Amino acid sequence: MTHRLPERDRPWMMRTYAGHSTAARSNELYRRNLAKGQTGLSVAFDLPTQTGYDADHELARGEVGKVGVPIAHRGDMAALMDGIPLGEMNTSMTINATAAWLFALYVVAASEQGVDESALSGTTQNDIIKEYLSRGTYAFPPGPSMRLIADMVAYTVEHVPRWNPVNVCSYHLQEAGATPVQEIAFSMATACAVLDAVRERVPEARMPAVFGRISFFVNAGVRFVEEHAKLRAMSVLWEELGRTRYGVTDEKALRFRYGVQVNSLGLTESQPENNVQRIVLEALAVTLGRSARARAVQLPAWNEALGLPRPWDQQWALRIQQVLAYETDLLEYPDLFEGSVVMDGLVDELLEGARAELTRVEERGGAVEAVPYMKAALVESHRERIARIESGEQVLVGVNRFVETEPSPMVGDDGGILVVDPGVEAEARDALAAWRAERGDVSGALAELRRVAASDENILPATLAAARAGVTTGEWASALREVFGGYRAPTGVGEAASPAADEALRDEVGGLSEALGRTLKILVGKPGLDGHSNGAEQIAVRARDAGMDVVYEGIRLTPAQIARSAVDEGVHVIGLSILSGSHRELIPDVIAALDGADIPVVVGGIIPDADVPALKAAGVAAVYTPKDFELDRIMHEIVALVAERHSLRV
């Protein structure tokens, strides 16, 4: 091998994860991003769309257009892609429980542009297991969810051959606290679960084609040398599974194909400008080594720990990629790590650990059956990570070391973030009502959808017919919920190992409990559709370890359900967690639903400083944001709050 390539490599596909407010406004944003040199689309859907609710559903309140674009029907998808040539575009859609539906809307939108489905290229995330483990936008139980995924894979392999129907996500596992070994093992176990489910629905001769369409969506943290080793280890293990488990021999089909968004978990609210250098280093992890280079990259904006990035913030993230690809000599050389003793040693270490962890998952029946095991393992790993940060063993510059700082000029009067117009929710409800009034009768399409869902037929043809008929996202999901039933994923809180708790804190909790006449009791709640439960789970685990009684029922509860549970359970304090931006609507709703019950409420999440006065005016006792990483301090303050409300001393 020579030390130079005969010609410079082509850059990877560059995307920006984007979408908010309405389809028309998101379309405008996409066109501007493409004009700036972005080479693919990455669609962010709002939480109602992701979980299968229309804008007028009770659970959608406060969530419409916040973390992504609302798409209710084929008219919305057509508006989202207006003027974007879908036959030439490569589109990634972060969609899971409702992936088959959004894919169908995309196919119909392409058809209306005169583009045949066989010409489409792109990716649907469609990894439901990681939704149970870390992200929370599931809609149906595991069995039917895996069937939907298998149906989509079987359909696209035959009809949309350039589409990646499943993007197995290790990304969100790292966000939930996974170690590199867990990331590798759990994502490979998920891929095997998908392949095993598809195997039952396609001829065995088509399995190499199926294997070749499975792609991955990975994460890269700031420990970028180890992170690069992780990607090389995933490549080795993926090829090994293809050859030994699925009999694949085609070298192209065996290739480990992945896209990446680098780490958001490590981005900090304190001294947020430091996030820029973190993002650059993380980008190196997925681009430095040619043998394990990402095929598509999207970088977070520097201010994602503060709230929704503005277009200018996203432009900066794109420019980081463009400087790496076009100004540096990164793409001019063969693999920089070939023959590296350090890299080979790291890869061997990770492979040994991942193979052992993969065996443990297999012994539990595979990824679907092992969801409770994997969830508890992630909660435990995340607890250990937070403990290392609290103790200072893991350094976060500007957070637990080097905290003296000048005021950041990057956070101005607007808080340095984009605030979605609160009027978009009413606008979406009005538009939905108008669509239903004008579209005609869809009862036949929905009846056929229910029939197919109850049978063993592939769900895609009936879903495409429903999309063409004008069915809405909420109606499609509601029809399937009628057939498939509901589901609540395990929280992992009860199974997480109990550490040696802070003795002073346990004494405080014990003393106050004695004074109260019973054990101090806290309800940890996740109102609305926000499924990012990592913070809530860590609060629940720490409260439990401190000696409190903990009520934590998981995600996706209405304010009325949380309030009723708090009163019925007789809790002394309520801790609410929201990261989706819906705190301005849902927190006051919870307090109102308490109907005068004297239970103090504290709130944690991504909450801009500008919103804190309004929350306190609504009755919130304390607000915690990502810069509040010391969980013991939060627990001490909660104990003091309860004592004050009961006129007791601790």
Side-chain angles (χ1 to χ4, degrees):
M1 183 181 77
T2 65
H3 67 287
R4 289 187 185 276
L5 292 172
E7 59 183 271
R8 184 182 174 88
D9 278 340
R10 283 194 312 168
W12 52 89
M13 182 170 295
M14 299 182 191
R15 294 184 172 124
T16 303
Y17 183 54
H20 65 85
S21 299
T22 67
R25 279 170 235 178
S26 297
N27 172 264
E28 181 186 344
L29 177 62
Y30 295 166
R31 292 199 201 199
R32 292 213 310 268
N33 286 345
L34 290 169
K36 293 171 184 171
Q38 185 176 296
T39 50
L41 289 181
S42 177
V43 181
F45 296 100
D46 73 353
L47 288 173
T49 303
Q50 292 187 53
T51 50
Y53 296 103
D54 286 332
D56 56 355
H57 192 279
E58 179 185 12
L59 275 169
R61 174 168 158 69
E63 308 280 15
V64 177
K66 285 282 174 57
V67 300
V69 58
I71 298 295
H73 46 71
R74 60 177 166 79
D76 283 345
M77 186 62 87
L80 185 69
M81 298 298 163
D82 183 41
I84 297 172
L86 297 187
E88 303 167 21
M89 184 52 55
N90 190 304
T91 303
S92 172
M93 294 195 277
T94 299
I95 197 73
N96 295 278
T98 56
W101 174 246
L102 272 300
F103 171 74
L105 294 177
Y106 189 81
V107 169
V108 171
S111 176
E112 291 172 350
Q113 285 190 8
V115 178
D116 188 78
E117 61 184 359
S118 62
L120 298 177
S121 62
T123 303
T124 33
Q125 197 164 87
N126 213 10
D127 172 1
I128 203 66
I129 291 177
K130 68 95 174 50
E131 296 296 326
Y132 299 135
L133 293 175
S134 60
R135 194 166 173 273
T137 67
Y138 55 84
F140 315 113
S145 295
M146 293 302 291
R147 175 263 180 101
L148 289 177
I149 294 170
D151 279 355
M152 196 165 155
V153 176
Y155 183 89
T156 54
V157 164
E158 300 304 330
H159 301 283
V160 198
R162 295 166 59 200
W163 195 267
N164 300 314
V166 178
N167 216 13
V168 178
C169 295
S170 77
Y171 175 87
H172 306 89
L173 303 180
Q174 184 176 120
E175 297 291 299
T179 64
V181 162
Q182 288 171 329
E183 266 190 80
I184 299 169
F186 293 172
S187 59
M188 291 293 159
T190 295
C192 289
V194 169
L195 288 164
D196 291 349
V198 179
R199 204 173 211 168
E200 299 174 1
R201 302 180 83 78
V202 302
E204 186 65 22
R206 297 296 289 154
M207 282 307 291
V210 169
F211 190 89
R213 296 317 305 171
I214 304 298
S215 59
F216 287 76
F217 183 60
V218 308
N219 204 332
V222 75
R223 289 172 55 83
F224 70 99
V225 178
E226 184 182 48
E227 291 293 85
H228 186 74
K230 177 187 75 183
L231 296 166
R232 299 174 90 91
M234 292 178 85
S235 179
V236 171
L237 195 51
W238 182 238
E239 179 178 342
E240 185 177 295
L241 287 167
R243 291 189 188 280
T244 60
R245 184 166 175 141
Y246 299 102
V248 181
T249 56
D250 182 346
E251 297 293 333
K252 187 177 177 184
L254 286 166
R255 204 176 296 160
F256 177 66
R257 300 178 308 123
Y258 77 94
V260 64
Q261 165 142 330
V262 304
N263 189 284
S264 293
L265 178 68
L267 304 186
T268 63
E269 180 189 11
S270 301
Q271 301 181 29
E273 61 277 8
N274 294 335
N275 294 329
V276 175
Q277 48 265 35
R278 293 186 179 108
I279 291 166
V280 171
L281 291 170
E282 290 161 357
L284 288 177
V286 298
T287 55
L288 262 182
R290 187 170 187 255
S291 298
R293 183 170 292 147
R295 295 167 62 88
V297 177
Q298 56 192 47
L299 299 181
W302 67 277
N303 54 351
E304 287 202 0
L306 305 179
L308 194 62
R310 300 159 299 189
W312 180 84
D313 306 313
Q314 294 189 325
Q315 174 184 303
W316 193 359
L318 175 63
R319 296 296 186 242
I320 291 172
Q321 291 201 57
Q322 291 168 331
V323 169
L324 266 179
Y326 294 106
E327 292 191 18
T328 76
D329 54 355
L330 192 67
L331 299 175
E332 296 175 7
Y333 306 106
D335 194 282
L336 301 182
F337 297 106
E338 185 166 323
S340 164
V341 174
V342 172
M343 190 55 66
D344 290 349
L346 284 171
V347 169
D348 288 344
E349 279 179 17
L350 291 169
L351 280 172
E352 182 181 358
R355 288 187 181 115
E357 187 62 62
L358 190 56
T359 298
R360 284 190 280 275
V361 173
E362 290 291 327
E363 287 171 349
R364 286 164 172 80
V368 175
E369 297 299 323
V371 163
Y373 163 75
M374 293 191 289
K375 178 66 179 178
L378 292 177
V379 173
E380 175 60 15
S381 293
H382 198 39
R383 183 193 64 73
E384 291 175 355
R385 174 182 179 273
I386 289 176
R388 290 195 299 274
I389 294 171
E390 283 185 288
S391 70
E393 177 187 346
Q394 181 172 334
V395 174
L396 284 183
V397 172
V399 175
N400 63 359
R401 195 181 294 184
F402 313 116
V403 295
E404 293 298 319
T405 183
E406 303 297 332
S408 173
M410 295 165 65
V411 181
D413 294 337
D414 63 355
I417 58 172
L418 176 71
V419 177
V420 173
D421 179 355
V424 300
E425 187 163 319
E427 188 181 330
R429 285 197 299 269
D430 292 345
L432 185 65
W435 176 265
R436 286 180 179 145
E438 295 174 5
R439 68 183 172 182
D441 183 13
V442 299
S443 59
L446 289 170
E448 175 64 3
L449 188 63
R450 291 188 196 92
R451 185 195 68 76
V452 173
S455 75
D456 195 39
E457 297 174 33
N458 191 305
I459 201 80
L460 258 296
T463 294
L464 282 161
R468 292 190 183 97
V471 166
T472 68
T473 299
E475 291 165 343
W476 178 86
S478 177
L480 296 193
R481 282 187 172 100
E482 288 176 32
V483 178
F484 296 156
Y487 181 71
R488 294 196 73 79
T491 67
V493 170
E495 295 79 9
S498 182
D502 179 273
E503 192 171 331
L505 177 60
R506 289 188 64 86
D507 286 346
E508 274 189 18
V509 172
L512 180 58
S513 297
E514 188 173 340
L516 288 167
R518 60 188 175 94
T519 303
L520 174 57
K521 196 169 189 177
I522 181 172
L523 181 147
V524 179
K526 289 283 299 177
L529 295 174
D530 173 25
H532 289 90
S533 57
N534 303 329
E537 289 155 4
Q538 293 306 313
I539 288 290
V541 168
R542 188 61 59 92
R544 181 203 65 187
D545 295 341
M548 299 184 200
D549 274 350
V550 178
V551 178
Y552 177 55
E553 297 172 337
I555 62 171
R556 211 174 302 170
L557 297 169
T558 65
Q561 288 173 319
I562 290 173
R564 186 165 60 248
S565 180
V567 172
D568 292 347
E569 292 278 355
V571 303
H572 298 100
V573 60
I574 298 172
L576 301 176
S577 167
I578 294 185
L579 285 79
S580 66
S582 58
H583 51 273
R584 286 175 296 182
E585 294 85 3
L586 298 184
I587 300 300
D589 283 359
V590 172
I591 293 172
L594 285 171
D595 196 24
D598 187 20
I599 305 174
V601 174
V602 300
V603 178
I606 298 178
I607 298 172
D609 290 343
D611 292 344
V612 172
L615 291 177
K616 293 207 169 173
V620 170
V623 175
Y624 299 99
T625 66
K627 69 177 180 297
D628 299 301
F629 67 93
E630 300 149 307
L631 297 191
D632 278 353
R633 175 177 63 81
I634 294 174
M635 292 297 131
H636 282 297
E637 291 174 0
I638 287 174
V639 171
L641 174 65
V642 174
E644 181 185 356
R645 286 294 177 100
H646 291 265
S647 302
L648 298 170
R649 298 184 61 182
V650 293

